[in-house]
Amino acid sequence: MWLYNFKSKQFLNINEAAINHYGYAKDEFLSLKLNEVSISHKSEITDDNILMDIIKSGKTIECLHTIKNGNIISVEVNSNLLQQNGSDDYLVLDVLQDITERKKIEARIVESEQRFKTLAKISPVAIFRTNSRGELTYMNENWAEMTGIFPEIAFGRKWWEGLPTKDKDLIEINWKRSIQVSNHYEAELELINPKSKVKWVLAGIVKITSGENKVIGYVGTLTDITKLKMFEGNFRKLYYSVEQSPVSIVITDTKGNIEFVNPAVIKTTGYTKEELIGSNPRVIKSDVQNKSFYQNLWDTISSGKIWQGEFYNKRKDGSFFWEQASISPVFNERNEITNYVAVKEDITAKKNLHEELIKAKNEALESSRIKTNFLEKINQELRQQLLGIIAVFKKNLTLPTTN
């Protein structure tokens, strides 16, 4: 603190704390006037009557002061007016508190707040903030677009109450349970907003804590995952279709190492999933088909074309089976082959039936040939016997004479 003459602004006394803080020796301080130290607020007021009114009001004001080394500090000043022996000559006792660090922190908070709002404005996701009770205090423009609810309506409500969702009570329970054991909460929420294309959002909320680790609020985001949920739905349908398909489906990498098999493969080959994953399809080769057969296959699919043909393979138990197969390359967005997909059907029964039909046909043809030959032989023998009978008959036949 210090004491100065109101009219002359000359310092009259300074305590040890002020001397140490401002860096002046006491005699240096006493040679200075207030306006040589204070560079704002009080020094900017040239009318002493106005300054007197400010001092008499007892209000605490903020000033900028310069210290001996030239640095500028922020100071909170509380002034007390003292009258000397009933005269018009007043003394002013200032109680000072250095708030430089606090002002820096406030400036950083303001800067952080501005940065937060700027990022929130340009962010593609909905951003919101709440107080420690979960009541909405800020929402960016994307909030209104996703939820269909104006911020003015949602302001002050619990964040989950400000969303057009089902099961709000369950959301509240899960959120409170989550933040009790961790610093964040995350959940997929379905929105009921006929005016918006956003049907599903991923809600993520984190705690905002003070230096004493006290929760002072929460900040959260809503990310549109509608397309992702649609993709998941389609993928789920595809997955179950593949899993339940009666045909064998095998996916390999570009080197032919198996990455995926469906249950039909396991049923057909007799190998377990663990035995097949990571192995090569050659594990079921029967070695009946030659190298040129497989070379043609690889040349076809590695060039980006689809190969179709039949495999004669061998099961784990040693039995053989036939498969009708179609193998296709899988391309990424750069048109590079990343995998191969084989769709195969066990046609052993068809092959066996076909062979039996061929055998039956051949047997029928052979039977028909034998039958034809037999009939021809019988016919020939009967013809010869008939011709003999006719010759005998002609020889012994006596024709009647006429007169």
Side-chain angles (χ1 to χ4, degrees):
M1 64 176 67
W2 56 43
L3 183 71
Y4 66 89
N5 183 279
F6 179 76
K7 285 185 179 181
S8 66
K9 307 298 184 293
Q10 184 71 48
F11 286 115
L12 303 175
N13 202 358
I14 302 95
N15 72 348
E16 196 66 28
I19 291 170
N20 293 334
H21 200 72
Y22 283 77
Y24 293 102
K26 187 170 184 178
D27 55 345
E28 288 179 312
F29 231 133
L30 294 176
S31 66
L32 298 174
K33 292 185 178 182
L34 178 65
N35 54 12
E36 293 180 271
V37 175
S38 181
I39 60 175
S40 69
H41 294 283
K42 280 188 177 181
S43 61
E44 294 171 358
I45 302 171
T46 56
D47 190 326
D48 279 357
N49 291 326
I50 297 175
L51 181 57
M52 178 62 74
D53 289 340
I54 293 174
I55 294 173
K56 286 181 177 180
S57 70
K59 293 180 179 178
T60 299
I61 60 175
E62 293 180 6
C63 300
L64 292 178
H65 286 180
T66 179
I67 60 179
K68 186 175 181 179
N69 64 10
N71 289 341
I72 296 174
I73 61 174
S74 296
V75 182
E76 206 169 60
V77 181
N78 183 268
S79 299
N80 300 278
L81 194 63
L82 306 174
Q83 190 174 17
Q84 293 193 94
N85 302 323
S87 67
D88 293 335
D89 196 13
Y90 290 95
L91 303 179
V92 179
L93 177 66
D94 281 345
V95 178
L96 313 167
Q97 182 178 359
D98 189 342
I99 58 171
T100 306
E101 287 304 314
R102 191 183 80 189
K103 295 295 287 185
K104 287 180 180 178
I105 293 172
E106 289 175 355
R108 286 198 292 268
I109 291 174
V110 171
E111 182 183 357
S112 176
E113 179 75 11
Q114 188 59 43
R115 189 184 300 114
F116 171 80
K117 289 184 177 180
T118 301
L119 291 174
K121 188 173 183 179
I122 64 175
S123 173
V125 302
I127 297 177
F128 62 94
R129 192 165 54 195
T130 77
N131 57 23
S132 60
R133 297 182 298 277
E135 297 164 344
L136 291 164
T137 59
Y138 171 82
M139 294 138 279
N140 70 346
E141 294 177 3
N142 280 332
W143 168 280
E145 292 182 11
M146 285 191 185
T147 64
I149 299 174
F150 291 108
E152 294 81 4
I153 298 175
F155 190 86
R157 299 172 68 182
K158 305 290 186 181
W159 69 265
W160 59 88
E161 293 176 351
L163 295 175
T165 61
K166 299 178 181 177
D167 303 322
K168 292 184 176 167
D169 292 340
L170 182 61
I171 294 173
E172 178 185 3
I173 292 170
N174 291 337
W175 174 66
K176 289 182 176 179
R177 183 183 299 153
S178 178
I179 61 174
Q180 284 178 354
V181 297
S182 67
N183 291 323
H184 71 281
Y185 163 83
E186 189 173 279
E188 294 180 358
L189 306 176
E190 184 178 6
L191 301 186
I192 309 169
N193 179 15
K195 296 182 180 180
S196 175
K197 295 181 180 179
V198 180
K199 303 302 179 185
W200 283 90
V201 294
L202 176 65
I205 303 174
V206 296
K207 294 177 182 177
I208 304 174
T209 57
S210 64
E212 295 81 24
N213 206 32
K214 180 182 178 182
V215 177
I216 59 176
Y218 300 90
V219 62
T221 61
L222 301 177
T223 304
D224 182 3
I225 58 170
T226 305
K227 290 183 179 179
L228 178 61
K229 293 294 287 186
M230 291 176 63
F231 175 80
E232 285 181 354
N234 292 333
F235 177 80
R236 193 176 294 110
K237 293 175 186 176
L238 177 61
Y239 175 78
Y240 287 122
S241 298
V242 169
E243 284 288 297
Q244 298 170 20
S245 173
V247 299
S248 297
I249 299 175
V250 180
I251 300 176
T252 73
D253 61 19
T254 54
K255 295 180 180 178
N257 298 314
I258 297 173
E259 294 182 347
F260 172 85
V261 292
N262 71 338
V265 178
I266 298 168
K267 181 179 179 182
T268 301
T269 66
Y271 287 94
T272 65
K273 184 176 182 180
E274 291 73 22
E275 289 174 320
L276 291 171
I277 298 299
S279 67
N280 193 283
R282 71 173 65 95
V283 71
I284 58 173
K285 281 176 60 177
S286 64
D287 293 326
V288 171
Q289 290 157 314
N290 57 31
K291 289 183 178 180
S292 62
F293 172 85
Y294 291 100
Q295 187 62 51
N296 174 62
L297 185 160
W298 275 104
D299 289 345
T300 302
I301 61 176
S302 60
S303 65
K305 298 176 183 178
I306 298 173
W307 180 89
Q308 291 180 328
E310 294 179 357
F311 289 116
Y312 187 60
N313 287 330
K314 187 177 181 181
R315 295 187 179 91
K316 185 178 180 180
D317 62 8
S319 61
F320 296 93
F321 65 101
W322 282 96
E323 285 185 306
Q324 177 70 45
S326 176
I327 304 177
S328 308
V330 179
F331 299 90
N332 63 13
E333 64 278 1
R334 295 186 297 275
N335 205 36
E336 299 168 336
I337 297 175
T338 59
N339 297 89
Y340 296 109
V341 178
V343 179
K344 303 184 292 181
E345 181 184 5
D346 187 345
I347 58 170
T348 307
K350 291 181 181 178
K351 279 281 189 179
N352 292 338
L353 178 61
H354 182 67
E355 289 177 1
E356 288 176 5
L357 288 173
I358 292 175
K359 182 179 179 182
K361 180 182 177 181
N362 291 335
E363 289 176 350
L365 290 172
E366 179 64 18
S367 176
S368 177
R369 185 185 65 80
I370 294 171
K371 180 180 178 181
T372 301
N373 291 338
F374 174 76
L375 290 175
E376 287 179 353
K377 187 176 181 180
I378 294 297
N379 183 53
Q380 187 177 5
E381 290 179 355
L382 289 174
R383 181 182 177 85
Q384 289 175 351
Q385 291 180 11
L386 182 61
L387 288 174
I389 293 171
I390 292 173
V392 172
F393 179 76
K394 284 183 177 180
K395 183 177 180 181
N396 297 318
L397 179 64
T398 301
L399 295 174
T401 58
T402 58
N403 293 324

